[in-house]
Amino acid sequence: QQQPEALRRARDFCATRMPKYLRWFERVLLNNPAGQRHLVGGRLSYADLSLFQLVEGLRYAFPKAAARVLATTPQVVALHERVAAVLGGLSWELILVDDGSRDGSAALIRELERADLRVRGVFFAHNCGQSLSLSNVSAGAEVSSSIKAAIS
């Protein structure tokens, strides 16, 4: 019974929020005093990696809308391509944590695991808090040159 509202919100997100924020990132790139290759300063940062992940997620969740908006933000696309080239040469693993929530996270994580062998889900029976979840995940994770992220 929430589907009509979810559809309305998704349409609104694609029509207003996605363009607004991606165009803001475009302006940040264009106005970076160190050059247009990075969001902050003159070298790769967590901000660049975060924008890369944002673009990946938008392309996955809203492929048509993301393509339309990204066509208007060439610096965002160029940064995404540079980060993808860097990550393409790295061995990485993405660890996603489901803390027993009932919001559909577990099903989404399992779907992502099937789509990419570098994605691994960790599933807790109940919410044990972000700190304990991160501690449990980190204790079992290899700390090599992998990129790890936990989402609670």
Side-chain angles (χ1 to χ4, degrees):
Q1 70 194 25
Q2 294 178 350
Q3 286 180 336
E5 178 62 14
L7 184 58
R8 187 189 70 75
R9 298 283 299 192
R11 286 184 181 139
D12 180 60
F13 174 81
C14 291
T16 59
R17 296 180 70 84
M18 186 188 315
K20 174 182 175 180
Y21 289 109
L22 287 178
R23 290 180 185 136
W24 180 82
F25 283 117
E26 183 79 4
R27 285 192 304 278
V28 169
L29 285 161
L30 290 170
N31 294 307
N32 181 353
Q36 299 175 359
R37 294 184 54 80
H38 303 287
L39 283 170
V40 180
R43 61 181 209 191
L44 188 67
S45 69
Y46 284 111
D48 299 324
L49 293 171
S50 295
L51 183 55
F52 170 83
Q53 290 296 334
L54 175 69
V55 170
E56 287 286 301
L58 291 173
R59 284 180 168 165
Y60 177 81
F62 306 103
K64 293 176 184 175
R68 281 192 304 274
V69 176
L70 289 167
T72 68
T73 56
Q75 295 301 319
V76 170
V77 172
L79 174 61
H80 179 271
E81 290 169 357
R82 283 192 297 277
V83 173
V86 169
L87 293 179
L90 296 177
S91 171
W92 61 272
E93 176 180 41
L94 176 64
I95 300 173
L96 300 172
V97 178
D98 175 64
D99 60 359
S101 62
R102 291 177 255 157
D103 63 0
S105 299
L108 179 59
I109 292 170
R110 285 190 177 91
E111 181 181 333
L112 293 170
E113 282 181 308
R114 285 189 297 274
D116 191 326
L117 295 176
R118 299 171 295 187
V119 175
R120 184 164 56 104
V122 175
F123 304 92
F124 293 108
H126 62 279
N127 187 332
C128 56
Q130 183 177 8
S131 295
L132 186 55
S133 293
L134 287 172
S135 296
N136 288 335
V137 169
S138 297
E142 181 182 331
V143 186
S144 64
S145 63
S146 299
I147 297 173
K148 304 199 183 313
I151 301 172
S152 62

